[in-house]
Amino acid sequence: MKQAIINAVVHTGEEIIENGVVIVENGTIISVQKEIPNDIKTIDLKGNHLAAGFIDIQINGGEKYYFSQTPNEETIQDIYDASMKYGTTHVLPCLISSSKETILEGIEAVRNYMKKHQNGVIGMHLEGPIFKSAKAWST
């Protein structure tokens, strides 16, 4: 189904289009233009701004929880929800240098979360020095 997002200030990355129209079909942007097509469902942004979402490749926490302290799905959801409020649509929850147990919990939490949710959680950022020291795995 096609829809037209109208009356928007559209930021394309190359220009700013006042009163822009964004044509979307099945969740994919197919056109950015100035004319509103006939016989198409419209969504009026009433002059608000429309831009691509940001990506945060190293975010440690949300509003309530810190991933290295509570590496679970609830924390991942908190990180995602808090990020969406400010235009960050995709995230990699970050686990700082931690014990082997915490790292494995974090990996499992992200894996399970991503199986259940098709949103902007696109993986996990794992900080070192776990990859350079066998000692880190012995703790």
Side-chain angles (χ1 to χ4, degrees), residues 89-114:
T89 59
H90 293 80
V91 296
L92 291 171
C94 178
L95 194 65
I96 63 168
S97 298
S98 301
S99 69
K100 178 180 179 181
E101 292 75 26
T102 301
I103 291 169
L104 294 175
E105 283 178 46
I107 291 169
E108 189 66 19
V110 170
R111 179 180 291 131
N112 290 335
Y113 182 91
M114 291 177 66

Side-chain angles (χ1 to χ4, degrees), residues 2-108:
K2 280 189 184 179
Q3 296 178 311
I5 301 171
I6 64 169
N7 194 21
V9 179
V10 181
H11 299 260
T12 69
E14 297 175 3
E15 64 179 318
I16 298 173
I17 303 171
E18 299 283 340
N19 296 313
V21 176
V22 177
I23 307 300
V24 179
E25 184 172 16
N26 299 321
T28 301
I29 295 173
I30 59 170
S31 173
V32 178
Q33 56 196 50
K34 295 190 180 199
E35 312 83 37
I36 302 172
N38 294 326
D39 301 326
I40 190 170
K41 180 180 177 184
T42 61
I43 300 168
D44 189 347
L45 285 193
K46 301 178 182 172
N48 285 306
H49 293 255
L50 183 63
F54 295 105
I55 180 172
D56 192 331
I57 62 170
Q58 186 177 2
I59 184 165
N60 299 81
E63 292 181 338
K64 300 176 194 172
Y65 305 109
Y66 186 67
F67 193 50
S68 293
Q69 292 174 340
T70 50
N72 60 35
E73 292 179 56
E74 185 177 5
T75 300
I76 296 167
Q77 188 66 53
D78 178 46
I79 289 170
Y80 179 71
D81 291 343
S83 297
M84 286 291 289
K85 287 182 181 181
Y86 300 100
T88 300
T89 59
H90 293 80
V91 296
L92 291 171
C94 178
L95 194 65
I96 63 168
S97 298
S98 301
S99 69
K100 178 180 179 181
E101 292 75 26
T102 301
I103 291 169
L104 294 175
E105 283 178 46
I107 291 169
E108 189 66 19

Side-chain angles (χ1 to χ4, degrees), residues 95-104 107 124-139:
L95 194 65
I96 63 168
S97 298
S98 301
S99 69
K100 178 180 179 181
E101 292 75 26
T102 301
I103 291 169
L104 294 175
I107 291 169
M124 178 179 157
H125 178 112
L126 179 60
E127 289 189 354
I130 195 65
F131 299 113
K132 81 174 198 179
S133 171
K135 182 180 178 187
W137 282 108
S138 66
T139 56

